[in-house]
Amino acid sequence: MIERVIILENIDPVVFYGVNNCNIQLVKTLFPKIRLIARGHVLKVIGDEKETTLFETKIRELEKYCTEYNQLNEEIITDIVKGNAPVEVKQDHLIIYGVNGKPIVGRTENQQKLVKSFETNDLVFALGPAGSGKTYVAIALAVRALKNKEVKKIILSRPAVEAGEKLGFLPGDMKDKIDPYLQPLYDALQDMIPAARLKEYMDNNIIQIAPLAFMRGRTLNDAVIILDEAQNTTTHQIKMFLTRLGLHAKMIITGDMTQIDLPASQISGLAQALHILKGVHGIGRVEFTKKDIVRHHLVQKIVEAYEKYSEKQSAKPESHRPQKSEPTTNN
């Protein structure tokens, strides 16, 4: 009898073991001649050399499947242990498999262009209207790079600018105050990484989410860095952010030039950066349109309606444009 210790580095224990440990119980049933003790990422197996060697081989196959597809069930376990590899269903334009094996793909032509531009450039600007998937695809690309061990961490940031309303003083510590601004980034990550694994990544700073102001003074190596809502950066902020790019790192900047929430007196840093960096080798640029909108079908119609309204307002002579009403006073 020998004892083997197997460390599963890349799995989410909740997904791998299954609800109420049903997956690991099935594995025990399929290997009746061994004794198995499972604790988190560590499996201890006791049995003769032939059985424990076969067990480790099959567990590594299950680990690989679980890591790639983010799911594991009794049918898959039985097929792999018995030597019947599951039939791989090819997904066109696949980026990664999200939670519960949901395929995350480049759904439109411009989303697919962003995938290709990320592969060939170290810095990519992704520009376009709300709902076009630019941020979602950018985060999917970052998660894929992390899973493939192309980078060691993901860093996500966005400027803490209120969208036309004053939120006042938010309660809580620093994290509580900035989380409302960063919630869209959390939402995307929760679609792609199982909850327990995501918490582990964030606790160990493998995935970092921070407001733009926290980037100053850092050099970001071996990472995918994403700046979301970049149209709301000032000229100094975006220059500071762009110059954080370190060795073996990639950066994606997303923004929508029709949704600038800065004071009227401030120039958008994104607009300036696009002008200054135009034509620089190694910098990609992908422009999304209303045709890329993948939210509710009404979102595309809303964007079109606002575009038409803006065009009409721009075409009107100054004297025919709506004027702000003057406040009245009571004498």
Side-chain angles (χ1 to χ4, degrees):
M1 301 287 282
I2 65 169
E3 178 182 301
R4 289 177 184 265
V5 175
I6 303 169
I7 298 176
L8 306 172
E9 295 182 353
N10 300 315
I11 56 100
D12 181 328
V14 176
V15 177
F16 190 80
Y17 292 153
V19 178
N20 295 324
N21 292 325
C22 62
N23 290 343
I24 208 69
Q25 293 300 330
L26 175 60
V27 171
K28 288 180 178 181
T29 303
L30 294 170
F31 287 91
K33 296 181 181 179
I34 65 168
R35 183 183 171 202
L36 175 63
I37 302 170
R39 292 286 186 275
H41 291 271
V42 180
L43 300 179
K44 184 185 291 185
V45 57
I46 302 169
D48 64 42
E49 185 170 357
K50 183 179 178 181
E51 280 291 313
T52 56
T53 300
L54 176 62
F55 176 85
E56 182 169 7
T57 300
K58 295 302 180 181
I59 282 293
R60 292 300 181 194
E61 291 178 22
L62 292 172
E63 177 189 25
K64 181 180 178 182
Y65 185 94
C66 186
T67 301
E68 181 175 354
Y69 294 97
N70 259 334
Q71 65 171 337
L72 200 61
N73 57 44
E74 294 184 3
E75 182 181 354
I76 296 298
I77 293 168
T78 303
D79 284 346
I80 289 177
V81 170
K82 292 186 175 180
N84 303 318
V87 177
E88 184 177 345
V89 180
K90 186 176 180 181
Q91 288 281 345
D92 292 334
H93 310 298
L94 177 71
I95 303 173
I96 56 167
Y97 286 94
V99 173
N100 296 324
K102 172 190 172 185
I104 295 172
V105 300
R107 294 172 61 181
T108 69
E109 184 179 349
N110 284 319
Q111 288 184 6
Q112 294 157 24
K113 283 182 180 178
L114 177 55
V115 174
K116 292 176 181 176
S117 186
F118 178 79
E119 291 169 353
T120 55
N121 297 286
D122 288 340
L123 173 59
V124 182
F125 288 95
L127 314 167
S132 55
K134 54 191 184 296
T135 300
Y136 196 80
V137 172
I139 292 177
L141 289 167
V143 172
R144 184 181 72 177
L146 182 65
K147 288 182 70 172
N148 293 342
K149 299 186 177 179
E150 296 166 12
V151 296
K152 295 179 180 177
K153 56 192 171 186
I154 297 172
I155 298 168
L156 308 173
S157 186
R158 56 170 13 204
V161 177
E162 295 161 348
E165 55 185 321
K166 298 299 181 184
L167 301 181
F169 291 103
L170 295 171
D173 59 16
M174 179 61 73
K175 183 177 184 302
D176 294 329
K177 292 177 189 296
I178 65 175
D179 273 359
Y181 297 103
L182 306 175
Q183 191 59 48
L185 307 181
Y186 287 112
D187 292 343
L189 286 170
Q190 287 164 357
D191 262 5
M192 301 173 198
I193 303 173
R197 189 68 166 162
L198 178 58
K199 184 178 186 304
E200 181 183 329
Y201 279 150
M202 298 189 73
D203 288 345
N204 294 326
N205 286 326
I206 293 172
I207 294 180
Q208 303 172 26
I209 303 180
L212 183 57
F214 286 27
M215 295 296 109
R216 187 173 298 280
R218 301 182 66 182
T219 301
L220 306 174
N221 299 318
D222 301 300
V224 176
I225 310 120
I226 297 174
L227 175 60
D228 191 34
E229 299 288 349
Q231 76 276 2
N232 287 328
T233 59
T234 65
T235 56
H236 295 295
Q237 284 176 329
I238 200 163
K239 180 183 176 183
M240 177 273 292
F241 187 86
L242 291 170
T243 53
R244 301 306 95 198
L245 188 63
L247 299 174
H248 311 297
K250 285 178 174 275
M251 187 176 279
I252 304 175
I253 311 293
T254 72
D256 177 2
M257 296 307 299
T258 68
Q259 291 190 336
I260 297 174
D261 298 312
L262 294 169
S265 59
Q266 285 190 318
I267 298 172
S268 168
L270 177 60
Q272 186 189 66
L274 290 169
H275 175 71
I276 292 172
L277 300 176
K278 187 177 182 180
V280 175
H281 181 70
I283 298 179
R285 177 169 171 166
V286 180
E287 297 198 25
F288 292 74
T289 69
K290 55 181 178 255
K291 292 181 180 178
D292 296 297
I293 293 174
V294 291
R295 290 181 183 165
H296 192 286
H297 66 91
L298 282 176
V299 174
Q300 184 171 337
K301 294 179 180 179
I302 290 167
V303 171
E304 289 173 349
Y306 270 90
E307 284 181 354
K308 289 177 182 177
Y309 176 79
S310 296
E311 288 169 3
K312 287 179 181 178
Q313 291 300 110
S314 299
K316 284 182 180 180
E318 191 73 31
S319 58
H320 289 83
R321 293 183 189 174
Q323 300 294 320
K324 291 182 179 179
S325 59
E326 294 293 331
T328 58
T329 56
N330 295 322
N331 294 325

